[in-house]
Amino acid sequence: MTRIRRGYIARRRRTKIRLFASSFRGAHSRLTRTIIQQKRRALVSAHRDRDKQKRNFRRLWITRINAVIRENGVSNSYSKLINNLCKRQLFLNRKILAQIAILNKNCLYMISNDIIK
């Protein structure tokens, strides 16, 4: 019986997986089985940490706004400022408020004074 040469489909699939794991260290970039495990693990971590990153940035923005507000006594707390913003229907998101708080504190003071009046 003559020898049959295998097709290229499995090899092409493995090389595609190896390209994903080319930056991994040790066996994680050389052995097919461990490459598959590490790829799965990396994708799970990336998916989980995208949501975690959103939470962390929101916490950072809230902390920055709260620090600037309490620094000069504009308002007692962050929650009262946000409550007053919602009552006045000024829908500024926390990212923009944090940027204003850092780059232009006077503008934040003007906004908060207008809300209080």
Side-chain angles (χ1 to χ4, degrees), residues 63-74:
T63 306
R64 286 178 175 171
I65 295 166
N66 200 17
V68 171
I69 287 171
R70 289 172 187 252
E71 184 180 302
N72 285 30
V74 174

Side-chain angles (χ1 to χ4, degrees), residues 14-115:
R14 288 188 201 109
T15 54
K16 195 168 24 171
I17 294 170
R18 281 208 169 89
L19 285 173
F20 179 85
S22 63
S23 61
F24 297 171
R25 292 182 62 190
H28 298 310
S29 67
R30 291 189 189 92
L31 304 177
T32 304
R33 195 174 290 176
T34 54
I35 287 173
I36 292 169
Q37 291 169 358
Q38 287 302 310
K39 179 182 178 183
R40 189 176 298 130
R41 185 172 176 158
L43 292 175
V44 166
S45 296
H47 183 265
R48 180 192 64 227
D49 292 338
R50 275 196 294 274
D51 287 337
K52 192 180 278 188
Q53 184 183 29
K54 292 179 183 78
R55 278 187 299 236
N56 289 339
F57 270 109
R58 184 181 167 99
R59 284 177 60 191
L60 175 69
W61 297 329
I62 290 171
T63 306
R64 286 178 175 171
I65 295 166
N66 200 17
V68 171
I69 287 171
R70 289 172 187 252
E71 184 180 302
N72 285 30
V74 174
S75 179
N76 291 342
S77 67
Y78 161 83
S79 61
K80 289 181 182 175
L81 177 77
I82 295 295
N83 186 23
N84 289 332
L85 278 172
C86 291
K87 282 180 184 175
R88 295 280 183 163
Q89 294 182 344
L90 291 171
F91 297 112
L92 294 171
N93 62 10
R94 286 153 184 84
K95 179 181 177 180
I96 299 299
L97 281 173
Q99 287 178 347
I100 291 171
I102 290 174
L103 299 175
N104 194 356
K105 292 180 183 179
N106 294 331
C107 184
L108 185 68
Y109 300 147
M110 289 171 49
I111 291 170
S112 60
N113 288 334
D114 288 341
I115 291 169

